Amino acid sequence: AQKVTQAQTEISVVEKEDVTLDCVYETRDTTYYLFWYKQPPSGELVFLIRRNSFDEQNEISGRYSWNFQKSTSSFNFTITASQVVDSAVYFCALKGRDMRFGAGTRLTVKP
Amino acid sequence: DSGVTQTPKHLITATGQRVTLRCSPRSGDLSVYWYQQSLDQGLQFLIQYYNGEERAKGNILERFSAQQFPDLHSELNLSSLELGDSALYFCASSVGEGLFNEQFFGPGTRLTVL
């Protein structure tokens, strides 16, 4: 069975702090995809990144970076120099034979 | 604005009733996906259609059904509604066929079953 665990239910930081959101997954599939989505207070879901299981290169996009480690089955997301607009619920997801989402981490960035 | 539209925004109905949620994908996208977000179950993938045909099925109940029409819009039909069906229902679309494609989400339809 597939499973995605986001152990951090809520995180609160002060603006300009760096923050890492953890995601641990379980799957028996050899080919799979990992995703991060953002759900701001307005409610819509926004795709942030997709990674396939054969590509362990870390990725950086502006203040966002992702660390994919197959050895620990983790796909962590770091926001550098956080801003108030980063306040949202962030979901990690796994697509193997089916699609599973983590429970989400609510990030609050205070000014 | 993702370019995906969903109607209605809000829907309030009673147990046992049937409702239809509508989704129009982004121009050019052939895939439509339906998701449910509830307090109990979290975010769940329900079903995907690609160019009118069912492509993938997730945790969709038998009381629920969907279809994609020739103009590529999609409808999600929920019947014999129960209190637990109260949720935010998202539609998403993508150009490609697979669930791994980058998906663009609509604003959602909030369903309340009383």
Side-chain angles (χ1 to χ4, degrees), chain B:
Chain B
D1 185 350
S2 67
V4 178
T5 60
Q6 288 187 248
T7 56
K9 273 191 170 178
H10 302 277
L11 200 47
I12 300 175
T13 188
T15 53
Q17 296 298 303
R18 172 189 166 97
V19 297
T20 297
L21 312 184
R22 183 188 167 103
C23 168
S24 292
R26 290 187 324 157
S27 176
D29 285 359
L30 299 178
S31 273
V32 170
Y33 311 79
W34 286 98
Y35 295 86
Q36 179 197 59
Q37 185 176 28
S38 66
L39 286 174
D40 291 342
Q41 304 288 332
L43 253 174
Q44 293 193 101
F45 163 68
L46 296 179
I47 197 164
Q48 177 206 358
Y49 279 81
Y50 176 78
N51 206 18
E53 296 197 3
E54 184 182 304
R55 271 294 178 265
K57 219 166 183 175
N59 297 327
I60 188 166
L61 300 173
E62 282 192 17
R63 301 184 285 108
F64 296 2
S65 65
Q67 53 184 327
Q68 186 179 27
F69 295 86
D71 67 352
L72 301 177
H73 92 271
S74 177
E75 291 180 357
L76 178 67
N77 300 296
L78 316 176
S79 61
S80 303
L81 284 167
E82 301 174 1
L83 294 177
D85 297 328
S86 295
L88 191 51
Y89 291 85
F90 287 106
C91 166
S93 72
S94 71
V95 172
E97 188 174 343
L99 257 173
F100 53 81
N101 281 283
E102 177 178 357
Q103 298 175 29
F104 297 85
F105 286 79
T109 292
R110 183 167 294 282
L111 173 67
T112 303
V113 182
L114 301 175

Side-chain angles (χ1 to χ4, degrees), chain A residues 14-34:
Chain A
V14 177
E15 220 173 7
K16 296 184 185 173
E17 281 185 35
D18 298 348
V19 58
T20 295
L21 310 182
D22 297 333
C23 173
V24 173
Y25 63 92
E26 293 175 33
T27 182
R28 290 184 181 176
D29 295 320
T30 52
T31 301
Y32 53 89
Y33 293 84
L34 295 162

